[in-house]
Amino acid sequence: MTVAFYSCHTYEQPFLDAANHSHNHQLTFFSQPLTPDTVALAAGQQAICVFVNDPLTRPILQALVGLRIRLIALRCAGYNQVDIPAAHELGIRILRVPAYSPHAVAEHAVALLLALNRKTYLAYQRTKENNFTLDGLMGFDLCGKRVGVVGTGKIGAAFARIMLGFGCHVLAYDNIHSAVLQEIGVTYLPLNEVLANADVLSLHCPLLPDTHHLINASALAAMKPGAYLINTSRGALLDTPAVLRALETGQLGALGVDVYEGEDDFFYADWSDKPLPDANLNALTHLPNVLVTAHQGFFTREAMEQIARVTINNLTCLEQHQIPINEATVVV
């Protein structure tokens, strides 16, 4: 099968080539994202493969159909960027990578929390300038603190286990309660009680209509003053202007994010030589109690190997007319 890979960075290609070794698909790599202007790059291909921020809107899907493309592989788990009803209507199959390494994202959430708490990013900047003072670097013991986990799927569960290992009391909110997590000490509570009691709140839920801006002005007001907020899930879970106001007033003590609602235009690109036109993102990156990373939570060797392996297997599955197990059927 001939496949065009969009938004494909050089660090991905060795993993994809290795996974494809025994499948013999013809892979063409494009660094450009999928946009109305780059759809034409897929001419002559049988399928395309896209990443998390490549929008699959109805117009783009229609353009792909015009190029006789009926298969799209996603190198990611979530597919809120895909117009699923339009894809079904147009006869396009959408396959995804439902899970790769939940530990990768969970551990990155912990890294953000630890860096914010112990101010290691500030200490690093100081010591590079031979400043070895400790003023402003005080943190707190995580042991004994209450950590709220919103969403206890594979990633949220991995994060909860790590926090239990730190000696934290883990409070969770999810529509589905995990008996396994409850057995090891996780306490499920209504969302308002998790917000009110958590010293640290970490988001691990999907982006759905009812979770869009889940953390808004009212949710922030309900949180403990000075609580820390971590988001490694989806940017639109946060109402960013409301979060900025909470940071300015001190209601929110610190923020660590690996995702951003408007990240499509900025993440995975180098903006160091030009002004950042997004005022909210610019504000976040310049606050001393905020740590922003550019959607790198997934970025471990193990996760990249799994993403490449499942992506290539998905392509082979449909090529051989097998029943796909990783087809996107509902928005998650």
Side-chain angles (χ1 to χ4, degrees):
M1 183 180 293
T2 56
V3 189
F5 283 72
Y6 285 89
S7 298
C8 195
H9 297 85
T10 54
Y11 51 73
E12 293 182 80
Q13 295 178 24
F15 294 99
L16 292 164
D17 285 333
N20 186 48
H21 181 72
S22 60
H23 294 257
N24 298 313
H25 298 299
Q26 297 178 43
L27 313 183
T28 301
F29 301 118
F30 297 112
S31 61
Q32 298 95 320
L34 178 64
T35 68
D37 295 330
T38 61
V39 169
L41 292 173
Q45 305 288 328
Q46 294 172 281
I48 68 166
C49 183
V50 298
F51 197 44
V52 63
N53 289 329
D54 290 313
L56 289 163
T57 60
R58 179 179 289 272
I60 287 179
L61 292 171
Q62 289 172 330
L64 289 169
V65 168
L67 297 174
R68 299 184 178 181
I69 289 175
R70 290 291 195 277
L71 171 60
I72 300 175
L74 309 180
R75 303 192 305 282
C76 54
Y79 50 100
N80 53 277
Q81 77 279 24
V82 184
D83 188 334
I84 294 295
H88 287 177
E89 177 186 320
L90 294 167
I92 297 177
R93 308 293 287 274
I94 307 288
L95 300 181
R96 65 184 184 123
V97 182
Y100 30 95
S101 174
H103 305 290
V105 181
E107 290 171 9
H108 191 72
V110 176
L112 291 173
L113 172 57
L114 291 174
L116 284 166
N117 178 27
R118 301 308 299 268
K119 317 294 189 294
T120 50
Y121 58 103
L122 297 177
Y124 172 78
Q125 293 171 354
R126 287 188 188 183
T127 56
K128 293 289 283 186
E129 299 174 354
N130 298 331
N131 178 353
F132 303 103
T133 63
L134 299 183
D135 304 87
L137 301 183
M138 185 177 292
F140 55 82
D141 287 358
L142 276 172
C143 183
K145 296 299 187 293
R146 294 185 177 92
V147 175
V149 182
V150 179
T152 54
K154 292 182 179 179
I155 297 173
F159 178 82
R161 288 188 178 94
I162 296 171
M163 290 294 96
L164 288 170
F166 272 88
C168 299
H169 304 288
V170 178
L171 314 176
Y173 169 75
D174 198 308
N175 292 329
I176 299 173
H177 294 188
S178 167
V180 173
L181 290 181
Q182 288 176 308
E183 288 174 2
I184 61 176
V186 173
T187 302
Y188 280 90
L189 295 171
L191 180 59
N192 64 319
E193 293 186 34
V194 173
L195 294 175
N197 289 283
D199 300 293
V200 174
L201 184 71
S202 190
L203 306 181
H204 300 283
C205 55
L207 179 60
L208 299 167
D210 61 350
T211 61
H212 182 262
H213 288 181
L214 178 70
I215 304 302
N216 52 27
S218 60
L220 290 160
M223 292 176 65
K224 290 182 67 172
Y228 281 32
L229 175 61
I230 307 295
N231 184 17
T232 54
S233 186
R234 287 291 181 265
L237 296 176
L238 303 187
D239 179 345
T240 304
V243 169
L244 281 168
R245 289 191 294 271
L247 287 165
E248 292 166 0
T249 63
Q251 173 63 17
L252 193 59
L255 172 71
V257 293
D258 187 49
V259 288
Y260 177 69
E261 185 168 12
E263 71 180 57
D264 297 15
D265 295 327
F266 305 105
F267 285 12
Y268 307 126
D270 185 356
W271 283 78
S272 60
D273 61 348
K274 45 188 173 292
L276 198 61
D278 187 309
N280 289 331
L281 181 56
N282 190 63
L284 288 175
T285 57
H286 286 82
L287 287 172
N289 57 341
V290 175
L291 188 53
V292 178
T293 54
H295 211 141
Q296 70 178 73
F298 75 98
F299 199 45
T300 65
R301 285 188 297 274
E302 293 81 359
M304 293 297 290
E305 289 170 355
Q306 178 70 357
I307 290 169
R309 183 164 53 250
V310 174
T311 297
I312 297 299
N313 285 341
N314 283 342
L315 295 169
T316 299
C317 177
L318 278 194
E319 183 184 46
Q320 296 178 351
H321 305 291
Q322 300 173 12
I323 298 175
I325 61 172
N326 297 323
E327 189 158 15
T329 55
V330 294
V331 177
V332 300

